[in-house]
């Protein structure tokens, strides 16, 4: 008998699940209906900062697969249609379209891929004209339109996470004077503060004013209601435009109302097959779920497209009659501001402490290529290893071209549960245009291994 799969959310996780299920089961076996409240499917939010900066064109180029392409593969995409209720008892969802018309649709299998909602603290003025969030392609269009409409001089980016630093670059590239305001000790709080300081110094060299330890108290407006400045306890920063990059929270209101299990970080809880815990026919993936951190053993909310795509594929494979699992993550992320590459994987020091792990650390300076080869650029690598066992716990890299993606060596080592001693023997490629004879990651592993050895064997 033909089953119906209903997908809530038409982006990375949802459409990966729909597409993969469709690949495995034809229309005679499986009907696929995807509800998306917006007007696009399978779009790349990741590309928005690069589009605004002028490195990519948008919005069309940022769409991996349009609704028409999905429909051509027998996926019934319904745009402008929001799912407003999940009725688990009767296996159906209630939808509302842009005109307000409501309808119930039954499902045999349900995928929840509702993503995340940007954090917007209730500070005065945050909804003023000239304040922008960055989440969907419409936000990119709005910001570009604002930048094109009239000459702007000052921009404030609130939040120094990766979206904040990428947006700081984008605004700088438009010739604006950019201030980044961050409440933590350093920008890029996913790094340890000593590595975050390097990011800060590099941003300041680029001409970005970086204000840290400064929660925003108010967005100040002029008589016309438009933003004019951002205020912290320490001062006021002029702003013709404000961009918010304050992080996101899992979008799980629907799931919560339906009585589905929500974890301590606000995300849906699933098993390894991405089936919602305790449910037979409800699956969830992407920014709305929590994931297992394979290094700490704890659950986390890590909203990244790379996980959303993989999890969606796992869901689609399982619904399509196959078998796949998503084992968890090691916390890998890479970003950049102008030519500075920023990368991390595993645990930072505070996370290792919170997990009850004892550790040693080492920081090294090296270069991206052999020192004598043109273009060799400096990079700093920090390695964290478990005391006594020597297991790699984390790796952070800040440097120029060729630095960031080296973090993948750490991601593989973490996944394999390697010690830093084992890492030092890794057979990595070497030629002068690509690395020094000892790759910087291996130098960091060697140095931290020395500290593990000095610490003595475990008892
Ligand atoms: C500016 C920016 C840069 C980023 N850069 C990177 C990067 O470099 N690397 C990386 O890995 N990740 C990056 N990300 C994160 C990445 O975009 C997300 O992790 C990914 O899009 C999550 O996919 P998702 O399908 O879970 O959720 P989303 O992409 O948020 O999609 C959820 C969809 O569900 C729809 N929806 C929600 N509720 C309902 C409902 N009730 N009914 C119908 N539709 C609904 C929404 O409209 C949305 O289209 C970036 C994100 C942003 C905003």
């Amino acid at each position: 008998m033909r089953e119906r799969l209903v997908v809530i959310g038409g982006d990375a996780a949802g459409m990966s699940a729909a597409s993969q299920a469709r690949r495995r089961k034809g229309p005679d076996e499986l009907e696929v209906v995807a509800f998306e409240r917006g007007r696009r499917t399978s779009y790349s939010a990741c590309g928005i900062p690069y589009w605004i900066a002028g490195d990519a064109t948008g919005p069309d180029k940022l769409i991996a697969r349009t609704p028409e392409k999905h429909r051509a593969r027998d996926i019934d995409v319904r745009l402008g249609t929001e799912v407003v209720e999940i009725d688990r008892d009767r296996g159906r969802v209630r939808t509302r379209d842009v005109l307000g018309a409501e309808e119930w649709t039954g499902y045999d299998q349900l995928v929840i891929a509702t993503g995340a909602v940007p954090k917007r603290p209730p500070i005065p003025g945050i909804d003023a004209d000239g304040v922008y969030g960055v989440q969907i392609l419409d936000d990119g269009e709005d910001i570009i339109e604002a930048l094109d409409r009239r000459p702007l001089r000052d921009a404030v980016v609130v939040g120094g996470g990766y979206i904040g630093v990428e947006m700081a670059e984008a605004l700088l590239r438009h010739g604006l004077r950019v201030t980044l305001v961050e409440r933590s000790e350093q920008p890029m709080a996913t790094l340890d503060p000593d590595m975050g300081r390097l990011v800060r110094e590099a941003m300041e060299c680029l001409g970005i004013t970086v204000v840290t330890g400064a929660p925003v108290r108010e967005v100040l407006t002029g008589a016309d209601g438009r933003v004019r400045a951002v205020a912290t306890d320490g001062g006021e920063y002029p702003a013709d435009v404000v961009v918010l990059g304050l992080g996101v929270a899992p979008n799980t209101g629907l799931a919560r109302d339906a009585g589905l299990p929500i974890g301590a970080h606000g995300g849906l809880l699933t098993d390894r097959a991405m089936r919602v815990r305790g449910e037979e026919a409800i699956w969830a993936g992407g920014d709305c779920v929590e994931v297992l951190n394979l290094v700490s053993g704890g659950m986390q909310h890590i909203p990244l497209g790379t996980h959303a795509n993989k999890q969606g594929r796992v869901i689609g494979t399982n619904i399509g009659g196959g078998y796949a699992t998503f084992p968890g993550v090691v916390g890998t992320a890479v970003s950049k501001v102008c030519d500075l590459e920023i990368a991390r994987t595993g645990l930072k020091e505070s996370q290792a402490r919170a997990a009850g792990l004892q550790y040693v650390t080492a920081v090294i300076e090296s270069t991206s290529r052999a020192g004598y080869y043109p273009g060799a650029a400096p990079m700093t690598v920090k390695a964290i290893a478990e005391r006594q066992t020597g297991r790699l716990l984390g790796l952070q890299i800040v440097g120029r071209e060729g630095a960031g993606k080296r973090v993948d060596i750490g991601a593989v080592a973490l996944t394999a549960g390697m010690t830093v001693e084992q890492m030092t023997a890794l057979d990595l490629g070497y030629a002068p245009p690509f690395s020094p004879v000892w790759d910087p990651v291996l130098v960091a592993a060697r140095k931290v291994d020395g500290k593990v050895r000095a610490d003595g064997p475990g008892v």
Side-chain angles (χ1 to χ4, degrees):
M1 208 179 80
R2 186 161 111 123
E3 283 200 322
R4 181 186 291 146
L5 162 63
V6 166
V7 175
I8 313 176
D11 195 24
M15 297 319 291
S16 296
S19 304
Q20 181 66 1
R22 169 56 76 234
R23 263 178 225 120
R24 299 188 64 99
K25 281 192 176 169
D28 47 336
E29 271 187 290
L30 187 73
E31 177 188 359
V32 184
V33 183
F35 293 110
E36 166 54 50
R37 67 181 173 197
R39 56 194 179 105
R40 297 182 171 104
T41 53
S42 305
Y43 50 91
S44 169
C46 315
I48 297 174
Y50 305 102
W51 167 31
I52 297 174
D55 291 331
T57 50
D60 295 348
K61 289 268 189 216
L62 302 186
I63 297 170
R65 198 168 279 167
T66 59
E68 294 72 32
K69 284 195 176 147
H70 284 299
R71 287 182 189 127
R73 302 180 66 229
D74 281 310
I75 296 173
D76 179 4
V77 175
R78 313 238 185 116
L79 297 178
T81 309
E82 184 170 5
V83 174
V84 291
E85 185 184 344
I86 300 168
D87 176 356
R88 285 160 64 209
D89 293 336
R90 299 178 67 176
R92 59 184 191 161
V93 296
R94 182 159 59 93
T95 58
R96 187 178 298 144
D97 70 17
V98 277
L99 301 172
E102 296 203 349
E103 197 176 83
W104 285 100
T105 304
Y107 63 80
D108 298 295
Q109 305 285 339
L110 178 68
V111 174
I112 303 176
T114 45
V117 275
K119 290 182 186 161
R120 224 177 159 100
I123 48 177
I126 195 140
D127 295 320
D129 197 11
V131 180
Y132 298 91
V134 198
Q135 208 203 9
I136 55 173
L137 298 186
D138 291 352
D139 298 328
E141 280 180 320
D142 289 348
I143 295 172
I144 288 173
E145 208 234 314
L147 295 173
D148 289 347
R149 203 183 321 141
R150 56 194 171 117
L152 304 175
R153 206 173 51 175
D154 294 294
V156 172
V157 176
V158 182
Y162 78 94
I163 292 178
V165 302
E166 288 173 5
M167 284 305 302
E169 170 182 350
L171 295 164
L172 196 69
R173 301 264 297 272
H174 279 266
L176 276 75
R177 290 194 306 216
V178 181
T179 302
L180 182 121
V181 180
E182 161 62 43
R183 71 171 171 195
S184 305
E185 191 184 333
Q186 297 294 350
M188 291 304 291
T190 49
L191 304 179
D192 286 321
D194 55 337
M195 297 296 280
R197 185 176 48 79
L198 303 179
V199 177
R200 176 206 194 102
E201 286 167 3
M203 290 180 79
E204 287 172 343
C205 283
L206 292 165
I208 298 169
T209 303
V210 182
V211 182
T212 52
V216 168
R217 297 286 173 224
E218 189 172 354
V219 176
L220 304 168
T221 51
D224 58 357
R226 273 193 66 82
V227 58
R228 67 169 177 81
V230 166
T232 69
D233 285 342
E236 268 182 39
Y237 306 95
D240 301 310
V241 60
V242 173
V243 173
L244 304 175
L246 292 163
V248 295
N251 182 14
T252 45
L254 256 185
R256 197 184 287 270
D257 290 348
L260 293 170
I262 305 291
H265 305 278
L268 269 158
L269 297 176
T270 69
D271 62 17
R272 286 190 171 206
M274 302 311 298
R275 191 185 256 121
V276 173
R277 281 191 201 165
E279 295 297 311
E280 261 310 300
I282 306 183
W283 311 74
D287 284 4
C288 64
V289 304
E290 294 186 8
V291 286
L292 174 67
N293 185 311
L294 296 168
V295 188
S296 69
M299 297 300 286
Q300 255 186 292
H301 179 236
I302 305 187
L304 286 175
T306 171
H307 309 323
N309 279 287
K310 292 187 189 105
Q311 292 167 349
R313 192 177 169 88
V314 165
I315 294 170
T317 301
N318 291 323
I319 291 175
Y323 173 66
T325 57
F326 184 82
V329 304
V330 294
T332 312
V334 63
S335 183
K336 79 173 204 43
V337 53
C338 296
D339 65 344
L340 187 79
E341 300 184 357
I342 307 156
R344 57 101 62 220
T345 189
L347 307 179
K348 60 178 182 171
E349 289 192 50
S350 59
Q351 290 173 320
R353 276 196 300 276
L357 297 166
Q358 293 190 3
Y359 59 86
V360 288
T361 68
V363 177
I364 64 100
E365 308 283 339
S366 184
T367 51
S368 54
R369 301 171 177 178
Y372 55 81
Y373 194 87
M379 80 171 78
T380 306
V381 182
K382 176 171 184 172
I384 306 179
E386 188 173 22
R387 244 188 99 193
Q388 299 187 336
T389 70
R391 174 171 70 114
L392 178 72
L393 294 180
L395 197 71
Q396 297 165 41
I397 306 178
V398 175
R400 310 286 158 176
E401 192 184 351
K405 281 292 275 179
R406 277 188 157 91
V407 83
D408 291 343
I409 305 167
V412 173
L414 286 166
T415 306
M418 292 174 80
T419 64
V420 284
E421 182 191 6
Q422 288 170 325
M423 278 180 78
T424 57
L426 281 174
D427 182 15
L428 304 182
Y430 160 67
F434 301 102
S435 78
V437 69
W438 276 89
D439 189 275
V441 170
L442 299 191
V443 178
R446 205 175 57 196
K447 185 158 175 198
V448 79
D449 182 45
K451 292 196 176 177
V452 172
R453 285 164 189 272
D455 218 35
V459 285

